[in-house]
Amino acid sequence: MEKYFEYSEKELAHLRKRDKKLSVLIDRIGIIKRKVNPDLFSALVESVIGQQISGKAAATVCSKLNEICGMDSHKLYAMSLEKIQSCGMSMRKAGYIKNIAETAVSKTIDFDELPQKNDDEIIEILTSIKGVGLWTAEMLLIFSLMRPNVVSYGDLAIRRGMMQLYNLKELPKERFLRYAKRYAPYGSVASLYLWEMSHVDEI
């Protein structure tokens, strides 16, 4: 059964009150259904696969890898780099994914314990894995753990959506952080709408 990022009128009412332009966007778009993957290990693998490629391409690669190993850490760790690469990714990315599997199999990182930790702790743990940067960790916080207050400066689409929403030609980090603070404690919901705004031509 598919799961979606959970939010309600409470979060939307808060965001509407805090930001008039975001309020107009929320009313225009309505409820957004974004799939989440509660399985932290496979979500991390999928997030690394999705780095710097289109969503459609990432879905194809994930599907091929899932067919071979079911996103099982032990099966994935047992696969050769060439086999992982053959699913449609670079050898470097295949190495990162094998590395993630190794941390899970060796219990260097206990993925079952991560949900009990706070956002900063999770980011610190995940970014200790080679190939996992801040953006990847932040995407996991939103689309696996459904943490409520994540607005990623490293996400180009979020920055683009913010610039479009406020009609900005440039967006210094200080200004970005001011908006993110305005959205708190429901920044993740604001992020959903900024993503949609960045694809405004498709709406």
Side-chain angles (χ1 to χ4, degrees):
M1 185 176 167
E2 290 182 337
K3 286 198 71 176
Y4 298 90
F5 188 93
E6 295 173 5
Y7 67 98
S8 66
E9 187 54 41
K10 180 180 85 169
E11 289 87 348
L12 294 180
H14 174 86
L15 292 172
R16 284 192 185 101
K17 187 177 178 183
R18 297 284 291 170
D19 193 292
K20 287 181 180 178
K21 290 195 173 184
L22 189 57
S23 177
V24 171
L25 183 65
I26 288 169
D27 290 340
R28 176 183 161 196
I29 292 173
I31 294 294
I32 295 171
K33 295 182 79 173
R34 285 292 294 260
K35 290 179 185 176
V36 296
N37 179 0
D39 182 79
L40 284 164
F41 173 76
S42 64
L44 183 56
V45 171
E46 288 170 2
S47 194
V48 169
I49 288 171
Q51 290 173 4
Q52 298 177 320
I53 62 173
S54 72
K56 190 174 180 181
T60 300
V61 176
C62 288
S63 178
K64 287 179 181 177
L65 190 61
N66 192 46
E67 282 175 21
I68 296 171
C69 69
M71 292 300 187
D72 177 83
S73 58
H74 288 82
K75 288 179 182 176
L76 190 48
Y77 180 55
M79 288 169 63
S80 69
L81 286 174
E82 290 75 18
K83 185 75 172 173
I84 298 171
Q85 183 195 26
S86 72
C87 294
M89 70 189 85
S90 67
M91 185 60 82
R92 177 190 277 185
K93 202 174 273 190
Y96 291 158
I97 288 169
K98 178 130 177 165
N99 195 35
I100 293 167
E102 184 181 5
T103 63
V105 169
S106 66
K107 293 287 185 183
T108 303
I109 293 175
D110 190 334
F111 284 85
D112 293 332
E113 285 188 358
L114 283 179
Q116 278 73 57
K117 300 185 182 297
N118 67 39
D119 292 3
D120 290 338
E121 288 171 332
I122 292 169
I123 287 170
E124 185 178 353
I125 291 167
L126 292 178
T127 54
S128 71
I129 305 172
K130 189 174 181 181
V132 179
L134 177 59
W135 175 83
T136 301
E138 288 172 331
M139 293 307 101
L140 196 79
L141 288 175
I142 299 175
F143 295 117
S144 189
L145 294 169
M146 289 192 287
R147 293 297 169 94
N149 193 34
V150 181
V151 187
S152 175
Y153 181 74
D155 193 284
L156 179 62
I158 285 182
R159 295 204 309 273
R160 187 169 60 229
M162 199 178 274
M163 289 171 75
Q164 288 176 222
L165 182 62
Y166 302 112
N167 195 26
L168 304 173
K169 286 196 168 80
E170 53 186 43
L171 182 60
K173 190 170 185 179
E174 300 75 26
R175 190 163 189 173
F176 177 95
L177 293 174
R178 280 206 304 274
Y179 288 126
K181 190 174 181 181
R182 185 187 295 177
Y183 307 147
Y186 304 122
S188 297
V189 178
S191 292
L192 296 182
Y193 285 90
L194 292 171
W195 270 311
E196 290 295 319
M197 182 68 187
S198 75
H199 302 113
V200 69
D201 293 338
E202 299 167 21
I203 296 171

